């Protein structure tokens, strides 16, 4: 098999036009001054299409922005933000009262958000699996307190940076019943394996964010295992100790290809609850404080 | 390694034509997308010509280029956060037989860390110690990855056939 592998892979050859494009781009980049993070990629057909699509989106946003601003999805001191998406719960206006109920220890600092810039609906930021399972009839909605009782320990951190607001407000678990699909390989649902009334999915997704600054903190939890969403995470984790607890920790910055800034992530198991914690544009100090507040 | 000034343009062509096929093969297997592979190869050569390092031997130069393109592909994959799968129909551009295309597709479906060691060891002919230096991973880890990679490739091939 390995001989066949060498023979097969050796057959791959770069197309002449690609090679010529690389040669001309290299010659160009050597004759022109290159800014530090300039991406000197060749213009492939798919990139032209992507650039055109971005242009269309920007133009649409410019014309749609005034209308979106009127809907006002953000918390303001006097707003009555409403949701236009059917899948969100009745309480989803991201009202200050709801924020207080959900995060009792963060009562004062979250009441002063005044941005009126439109943002994505909370459900749009959920992992695809979270959106899919809510379509099944076996999803049981829960509050954060009920979830904490189900998992047997707290799942929200005691410390969250002041400017981050709780974005995701739908939580719950899936218990198999007659509405559970028989088979869904994409999401690892196999009805024959579980019994009715057994919990087959209990990943939950708790998201805090400051969309204006692109800052995010996401905590995913699951019982007796790591959340599914961490599978396939290409980040390389190293082991560290926080409050005498072993944590898998990673730091990544996607420059020069992207502008997500510093991203930190951690995998940890506490009292049989798996946590997958991710942040974007938080400082390391902030991330470690969040992590510590979850562990303690 | 020491640096020297930028090379004449005909030397640029010579170097690119000498190594582009090798780098493209590796990039295509990791990224599973022709155009991304082209970008990775281009970026590798741009870095090479900008740094203009001087090597002890051709083998040293080749190893440097492979290490850089592997790291660029890794970063590109992290940025994309998904596996861009090359359709088997597109693989026919490189192959005439379905069997060859299926073998390559099976290779591309492997996790990145496994397919990189497979290509470097069995296709490019690097030894375990050499791969270990390129990827900054211990030799024992490389051996384990090779073992697991062979097993996974066999399983993937069986799935493709069935």
């Amino acid at each position: 098999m390995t001989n066949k592998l060498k023979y097969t892979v050796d057959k791959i050859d770069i197309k002449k036009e690609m090679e010529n494009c690389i040669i001309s781009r290299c010659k160009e980049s050597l004759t022109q001054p290159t800014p530090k993070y300039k991406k000197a990629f060749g213009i492939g057909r798919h990139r032209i299409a992507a650039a055109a699509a971005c242009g269309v989106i920007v133009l649409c946003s410019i014309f749609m922005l005034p209308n979106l601003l009127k809907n006002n999805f953000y918390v303001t001191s006097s707003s009555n933000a409403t949701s236009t998406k059917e899948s969100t719960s009745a309480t989803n206006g991201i009202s200050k009262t709801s924020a207080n109920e959900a995060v009792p220890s963060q009562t004062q600092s979250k009441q002063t958000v005044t941005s009126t810039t439109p943002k994505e609906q909370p459900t749009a930021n959920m992992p695809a699996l979270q959106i899919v399972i809510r379509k099944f009839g076996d999803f049981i909605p829960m509050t954060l307190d009920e979830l904490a009782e189900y998992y047997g320990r707290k799942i929200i951190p005691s410390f969250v940076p002041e400017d981050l607001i709780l974005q995701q407000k739908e939580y719950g678990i899936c218990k198999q019943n007659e509405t559970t699909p028989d088979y869904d390989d994409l999401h690892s649902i196999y009805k024959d394996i579980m019994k009715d009334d057994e919990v087959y999915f209990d990943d939950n997704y708790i998201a805090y964010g400051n969309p204006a600054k692109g800052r995010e903190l996401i905590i995913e939890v699951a019982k007796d295992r790591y959340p599914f969403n961490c599978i396939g995470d290409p980040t390389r984790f190293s082991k560290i100790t926080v409050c005498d607890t072993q944590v898998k920790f990673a730091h990544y910055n996607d420059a020069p290809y992207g502008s997500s800034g510093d991203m930190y992530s951690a995998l940890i198991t506490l009292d049989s609850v798996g946590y997958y914690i991710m942040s974007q544009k938080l400082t390391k100090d902030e991330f470690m404080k969040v992590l510590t507040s979850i562990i303690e | 390694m020491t640096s020297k000034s930028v090379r004449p343009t005909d030397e640029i062509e010579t170097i690119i034509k000498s190594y582009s096929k090798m780098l493209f093969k590796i990039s295509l297997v990791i990224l599973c997308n022709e155009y991304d592979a082209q970008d990775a190869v281009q970026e590798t050569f741009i870095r090479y010509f900008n740094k203009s390092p001087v090597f002890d031997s051709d083998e040293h130069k080749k190893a440097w280029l492979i290490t850089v393109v592997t790291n660029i592909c890794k970063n590109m994959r992290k940025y994309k956060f998904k596996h861009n799968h090359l359709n088997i129909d597109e693989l026919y551009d490189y192959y005439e037989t379905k069997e060859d295309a299926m073998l390559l597709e099976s290779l591309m479906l492997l996790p990145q860390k496994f397919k990189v060691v497979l290509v470097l060891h069995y296709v490019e002919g690097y030894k375990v110690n050499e791969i270990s230096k390129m990827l900054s991973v211990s030799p024992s880890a490389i051996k384990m990855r090779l073992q697991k990679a062979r097993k996974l490739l066999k399983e993937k091939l069986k799935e493709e056939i069935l």
Side-chain angles (χ1 to χ4, degrees):
Chain A
M1 182 188 72
T2 51
N3 288 336
K4 178 86 175 151
L5 181 68
K6 176 171 168 58
Y7 167 78
T8 306
V9 177
D10 269 344
K11 273 189 176 178
I12 298 174
D13 198 0
I14 186 167
K15 290 173 186 164
K16 212 63 194 155
E17 64 219 32
M18 264 190 200
E19 194 177 60
N20 291 337
C21 180
I22 291 172
I23 289 170
S24 60
R25 287 305 241 166
C26 284
K27 285 178 183 174
E28 269 174 40
S29 75
L30 290 174
T31 54
Q32 290 169 16
T34 308
K36 191 176 179 185
Y37 291 117
K38 183 179 175 185
K39 289 198 290 181
F41 290 153
I43 307 290
R45 287 174 302 184
H46 67 301
R47 293 187 189 274
I48 294 173
C54 287
V56 168
I57 290 168
V58 166
L59 284 171
C60 287
S61 302
I62 290 169
F63 290 111
M64 286 169 62
L65 203 59
N67 285 331
L68 289 172
L69 278 171
K70 286 179 195 170
N71 289 333
N72 189 8
F73 291 111
Y74 283 154
V75 177
T76 64
S77 54
S78 57
S79 75
N80 289 313
T82 55
S83 167
T84 57
K85 211 169 184 170
E86 289 171 11
S87 59
T88 54
S89 67
T91 57
N92 183 34
I94 318 180
S95 67
K96 288 184 283 185
T97 309
S98 302
N100 288 343
E101 285 168 2
V103 188
S105 58
Q106 304 291 328
T107 47
Q108 299 306 318
S109 57
K110 291 204 185 317
Q111 311 226 349
T112 55
V113 176
T114 55
S115 169
T116 56
T117 310
K119 70 169 184 67
E120 291 174 357
Q121 294 292 333
T123 48
N125 291 327
M126 278 199 287
L129 184 51
Q130 293 277 338
I131 296 171
V132 166
I133 56 152
R134 279 157 174 78
K135 293 179 185 170
F136 307 150
D138 53 13
F139 178 72
I140 302 171
M142 285 178 158
T143 62
L144 278 172
D145 288 337
E146 286 167 339
L147 267 191
E149 198 182 318
Y150 167 77
Y151 289 118
R153 75 181 314 276
K154 71 171 181 181
I155 53 171
I156 55 171
S158 314
F159 170 82
V160 174
E162 281 186 7
D163 64 314
L164 301 186
I165 298 173
L166 190 63
Q167 306 281 306
Q168 166 53 23
K169 292 213 164 186
E170 289 185 13
Y171 316 104
I173 57 175
C174 291
K175 266 192 188 180
Q176 181 169 302
N177 63 23
E178 65 279 359
T179 67
T180 305
D182 286 334
Y183 179 84
D184 187 333
D185 194 37
L186 183 64
H187 304 107
S188 299
I189 297 171
Y190 305 100
K191 197 169 182 179
D192 292 339
I193 296 173
M194 308 293 294
K195 294 177 195 162
D196 277 356
D197 258 359
E198 269 194 271
V199 174
Y200 70 85
F201 184 86
D202 61 12
D203 288 45
N204 273 276
Y205 178 86
I206 300 147
Y208 298 87
N210 180 342
K213 291 191 177 172
R215 279 161 56 87
E216 259 187 357
L217 172 67
I218 295 166
I219 298 150
E220 293 197 49
V221 286
K223 206 171 188 181
D224 298 325
R225 55 172 172 79
Y226 287 135
F228 282 123
N229 210 28
C230 77
I231 295 169
D233 183 340
T235 313
R236 190 179 284 180
F237 288 94
S238 57
K239 288 180 187 167
I240 62 169
T241 303
V242 178
C243 303
D244 296 326
T245 306
Q246 199 167 70
V247 176
K248 287 186 185 175
F249 174 81
H251 166 242
Y252 180 67
N253 190 313
D254 63 354
Y257 298 98
S259 56
S260 302
D262 283 314
M263 291 179 274
Y264 294 98
S265 54
L267 279 169
I268 185 168
T269 307
L270 297 162
D271 302 326
S272 300
V273 178
Y275 293 80
Y276 180 39
I277 305 154
M278 296 159 280
S279 73
Q280 182 172 307
K281 290 193 177 172
L282 265 63
T283 63
K284 188 177 179 183
D285 190 49
E286 286 173 322
F287 184 81
M288 296 309 289
K289 279 183 183 168
V290 168
L291 188 57
T292 306
S293 75
I294 290 174
I295 295 172
E296 284 177 345
Chain B
M1 287 193 298
T2 57
S3 295
K4 65 178 189 185
S5 56
V6 176
R7 295 171 170 80
T9 52
D10 50 353
E11 196 178 337
I12 293 172
E13 266 192 54
T14 309
I15 290 170
I16 291 176
K17 283 179 179 172
S18 304
Y19 295 105
S20 60
K21 179 181 169 178
M22 173 194 73
L23 297 180
F24 183 74
K25 262 188 300 187
I26 294 170
S27 307
L28 183 65
V29 169
I30 295 174
L31 297 171
C32 306
N33 181 290
E34 283 185 301
Y35 300 105
D36 291 341
Q38 179 191 351
D39 290 342
V41 170
Q42 183 176 294
E43 180 65 16
T44 305
F45 282 121
I46 285 173
R47 289 189 191 188
Y48 170 76
F49 293 124
N50 279 330
K51 287 182 190 289
S52 294
V54 176
F55 299 100
D56 304 327
S57 62
D58 279 343
E59 281 309 310
H60 187 194
K61 186 196 317 185
K62 191 176 160 192
W64 188 92
L65 288 168
I66 289 176
T67 306
V68 169
V69 83
T70 308
N71 287 334
I72 288 172
C73 290
K74 247 194 280 183
N75 284 339
M76 284 174 79
R77 279 204 61 185
K78 279 184 182 177
Y79 174 63
K80 286 177 182 294
F81 277 108
K82 64 179 179 180
H83 178 84
N84 277 329
H85 182 53
L86 188 68
N87 287 330
I88 192 161
D89 291 337
E90 293 174 20
L91 290 176
Y92 280 119
D93 288 350
Y94 302 102
Y95 302 105
E96 289 170 4
T97 68
K98 191 176 178 184
E99 195 192 17
D100 287 346
M102 275 169 57
L103 175 57
L104 185 65
E105 195 189 22
S106 304
L107 174 66
M108 285 174 165
L109 285 171
L110 295 180
Q112 184 193 323
K113 60 182 183 179
F114 295 132
K115 54 186 174 182
V116 168
V117 294
L118 275 182
V119 170
L120 290 179
H121 185 65
Y122 290 110
V123 181
E124 297 302 324
Y126 284 98
K127 294 181 185 152
V128 167
N129 288 336
E130 290 166 329
I131 299 173
S132 153
K133 283 178 194 163
M134 279 184 197
L135 302 182
S136 305
V137 175
S138 68
S140 54
I142 298 292
K143 285 179 192 170
M144 282 182 63
R145 285 185 191 185
L146 278 170
Q147 189 184 20
K148 187 128 192 212
R150 285 191 295 264
K151 186 180 168 197
L152 281 175
L153 188 61
K154 267 188 196 159
E155 284 166 14
K156 280 262 180 280
L157 272 171
K158 275 185 198 161
E159 279 173 31
E160 291 284 319
I161 289 164
L162 292 172

